[in-house]
Amino acid sequence: MWRYCISAIACAGHAITESVAPRRDRRPAVTGVLELAGIGIGPANLSLAALCEEAGKAERTRFFDRKAGFSWHRGMMLPGARLQCSWIKDLVTPVAPTSRFGFLSYLAARQRLFAFVNAGFETVSRTEFADYLGWVAGQLPTLHWDSPLRDLAFEAGAFTAQVGCERVRTQHLVLGLGHEPAFPACLEPHLGQGCLHAAEFLERMPAIVGRHVVVIGGGQSGAEIVLHLLRSAKPPASIAWVSRRSNFLPLDETHFSNEHFTPAYVKHFFELPADRRVTLLQEQRMMSDGISPSTLRELYAEVYRLRFLEKVPPVPRLLPGHSVVGCTSWRGALGIELRSADTGAGQRIVADLVIAATGYRVALPPCLEALGIAWDAVTGTPMLGRCYAISWDGPAANRIYLQNAGRVSHGVADPQLALLAWRSATILNDALGREVFPLGTEASLIEWSRHSEHNEACSICE
Ligand SMILES: Cc1cc2nc3c(=O)[nH]c(=O)nc-3n(C[C@H](O)[C@H](O)[C@H](O)COP(=O)(O)OP(=O)(O)OC[C@H]3O[C@@H](n4cnc5c(N)ncnc54)[C@H](O)[C@@H]3O)c2cc1C
C-alpha cells in the first residue's frame, strides 16, 4: 500500500503519533492540510484522482477506500456482461482527451489497440473496463486502501476525516461512496443463505443446481442473472423471473434520449423546479434502468431454445407485471407472495434461492449529519449546488462535494458512467477556484432552454 506522511492517529485509543510510513515515490511528504480528500474510490473518485494527477495537484490530494484494493462490482462480473455506454466516456477523455489515463492509452499499454479496433465491438465487456479502471488505479500514488471512513468533523478551518487508522485534515471533501443494495422490505428478515442481493451473486456463489430459484427485478442485473442461470451447465430445477414493470423493458439508448446524458441537459435539468424534475425522472427511467437490447435478444433466444427446441427444464417462468408483496419461511424454503398489477390476483412461488436484483440506494455515512447538511424537502436527499457541493453549516471556503448522489438534482445521467469525467472536472474546477479543465458550453442539438447556456454560476458554491 502507498503511504504518505499524514498526521496519523492510531486506532482503538492508542496515542496520537506522527508517522512517516514507507514511500515508494519521490513526492514531497504531505504535511498539514490537504487541498482535497476523496472518500471512496469507485469510478467516480478514481476519475477525480486521475484528473488531479493530470492537473499537477497530486501533491495535495488523497483518496481513501475501505477495500483492500481496486475492484468494480465484482459480484456482478458475469461472463459476457457488457458496458452500457461508450468506452469513450471513460474516466478522463471527455474533458482531457490527451490524458494518459484514457481507455485508448490503456489498450496501447496492454498492446492490443489494433486487435481491439479490428474486433469492432459495439460495446466493451465489463471485465475489460474493470481491468482498465484497475490499470488507472495502479498508476495513482494518491490512493489509500484499507481505509474505511470512521468519522468526520470540522475544526480549525478544515475537515478532519478519520479514515482507517489515519486522521486526515483537508480543505475540501469529496464523498464518492457509491450506492448500497436495496431490497423489498419483506425480504429483509430472510437475508442469508437462501436470499441475497444481485450485488453479491458471484462473491457468494450460491449453489443453484437442482434448486428452485426466483429472480426478482426486471432491470439489467436481473436479466444478466437469469441469462447466466439459463446457460449454466448445471442448471437450477426451476427459474422464475419476477418484475413489477409491465414487461421486460429495453434500455432507451436512442439518439435523442442520449441527449439527456450531456452537460447541456444537466445544466438545464438543474434549473427546473423540484416537482418538474421528479416527473421527468419518472418519464426518463428506461434511459438508465432498462435492459440492454442485446441482453434481451440473447434472453429471448435462450428461452425459445429451451422451450421449443430442446424442451428441457428449466424453462423459466416469466412474470412481469407482478409485485412481491410478502415472503414467508415455508418448509425450509421461502414462499414468495406475488400480486398481479393487471388482475390483482395473488399467487405464491416456493423458492430455495431468492436473488433480489432490486436496485441500489444512495449510501451516506451517518457521520455526515454532524456537519449540519441541508436536506431537500421534496426529494429527501442532500441539497446539491450546481457544482455538486452540499449546502452545509460551515464556511463557504470549505466544501463537501457528493459524487453519484445527484439524480434528483442533476438528472438521470448522475448514477451512470457517461458524465463521470465532466462531473469530476466540474468539482475540481470549483474546488480550485479556476477552470483547470475548460468545460465551455458544448453544442446540443436540442434547445433545452436559454438559461442553460448563460447561467454558469454555481448557486450554492458562489
Ligand atoms: C453491476 C453494475 C454494472 C454497472 N454498469 C454500468 C454501465 O455499464 N454503464 C454505466 O454508465 N453505469 C453502470 N453502472 C452504474 C455506475 O456506473 C456504477 O455503479 C459505478 O460503479 C458508480 O461509481 P461510484 O464511484 O459512484 O460508486 P462505486 O463504484 O460503488 O464505488 C464506491 C466506493 O466507495 C467505497 N466506500 C463506500 N463506503 C465507504 C466508507 N465508509 N469508507 C471508505 N470507502 C467506502 C466502496 O468500497 C467503493 O469502492 C453499473 C452499476 C452496477 C451495480
Side-chain angles (χ1 to χ4, degrees), residues 251-274:
L251 182 73
D252 177 358
E253 48 186 356
T254 49
H255 297 79
F256 290 102
S257 294
N258 280 347
E259 285 286 314
H260 295 95
F261 295 77
T262 60
Y265 185 71
V266 174
K267 289 175 191 171
H268 166 70
F269 186 89
F270 183 81
E271 297 296 334
L272 300 175

Side-chain angles (χ1 to χ4, degrees), residues 175-379:
L175 302 180
L177 303 172
H179 294 178
E180 61 190 13
F183 297 89
C186 63
L187 290 188
E188 282 185 6
H190 304 282
L191 298 180
Q193 280 305 316
C195 181
L196 54 108
H197 195 274
E200 44 186 4
F201 181 64
L202 287 183
E203 296 195 306
R204 294 267 299 274
M205 274 293 190
I208 57 166
V209 56
R211 299 179 86 190
H212 298 281
V213 181
V214 174
V215 179
I216 302 170
Q220 182 67 20
S221 293
E224 286 179 8
I225 287 177
V226 171
L227 190 58
H228 178 76
L229 296 175
L230 291 176
R231 287 176 170 170
S232 172
K234 294 181 177 170
S238 72
I239 302 171
W241 184 18
V242 179
S243 170
R244 66 181 169 192
R245 291 182 192 155
S246 59
N247 202 337
F248 299 110
L249 299 174
L251 182 73
D252 177 358
E253 48 186 356
T254 49
H255 297 79
F256 290 102
S257 294
N258 280 347
E259 285 286 314
H260 295 95
F261 295 77
T262 60
Y265 185 71
V266 174
K267 289 175 191 171
H268 166 70
F269 186 89
F270 183 81
E271 297 296 334
L272 300 175
D275 53 351
R276 178 67 185 146
R277 283 188 266 122
V278 170
T279 306
L280 284 173
L281 283 175
Q282 257 329 97
E283 280 177 23
Q284 295 166 2
R285 197 159 195 100
M286 287 306 122
M287 293 174 199
S288 61
D289 293 3
I291 303 170
S292 292
S294 58
T295 310
L296 285 173
R297 205 163 34 241
E298 290 178 63
L299 266 168
Y300 198 90
E302 279 301 319
V303 178
Y304 183 98
R305 175 180 68 83
L306 290 165
R307 176 147 195 178
F308 299 124
L309 307 181
E310 299 189 3
K311 297 180 183 166
V312 290
V315 177
R317 291 187 66 196
L318 303 178
L319 297 164
H322 285 77
S323 293
V324 174
V325 292
C327 178
T328 47
S329 297
W330 198 77
R331 295 184 185 171
L334 292 175
I336 307 291
E337 310 289 341
L338 302 181
R339 171 135 330 119
S340 161
D342 291 340
T343 65
Q347 63 172 300
R348 173 194 277 178
I349 315 184
V350 176
D352 301 314
L353 175 64
V354 176
I355 302 167
T358 41
Y360 297 81
R361 59 177 162 235
V362 172
L364 292 176
C367 53
L368 200 54
E369 284 293 339
L371 298 176
I373 63 173
W375 294 85
D376 185 320
V378 177
T379 61

Side-chain angles (χ1 to χ4, degrees), residues 39-46 64-67 69-73 75-77 82-85 126 129 133 145 147-150 163 176-180 199 220-221 224 261 360 363 365 403-405 413-418 420 423:
I39 316 286
I41 311 173
N45 266 346
L46 188 58
F64 302 87
D65 197 287
R66 63 187 173 190
K67 289 189 301 209
F70 186 82
S71 63
W72 186 50
H73 297 312
M76 275 299 293
M77 208 48 82
R82 306 200 75 79
L83 207 60
Q84 280 189 312
C85 68
R126 280 219 299 273
F129 202 73
L133 297 174
W145 304 101
S147 305
L149 175 65
R150 298 190 195 284
V163 276
L177 303 172
H179 294 178
E180 61 190 13
Q220 182 67 20
S221 293
E224 286 179 8
F261 295 77
Y360 297 81
Q403 300 253 38
N404 194 356
D414 200 67
Q416 309 296 316
L417 298 173
L420 268 195
R423 186 177 60 200

Side-chain angles (χ1 to χ4, degrees), residues 72 76-87 103 106-107 112 116 119-133 224 417:
W72 186 50
M76 275 299 293
M77 208 48 82
L78 293 161
R82 306 200 75 79
L83 207 60
Q84 280 189 312
C85 68
S86 163
W87 54 266
F103 189 75
Y106 155 80
L107 289 174
R112 59 167 183 263
F116 180 84
F121 298 125
E122 271 180 38
T123 52
V124 177
S125 79
R126 280 219 299 273
T127 311
E128 186 162 26
F129 202 73
D131 189 56
Y132 154 69
L133 297 174
E224 286 179 8
L417 298 173

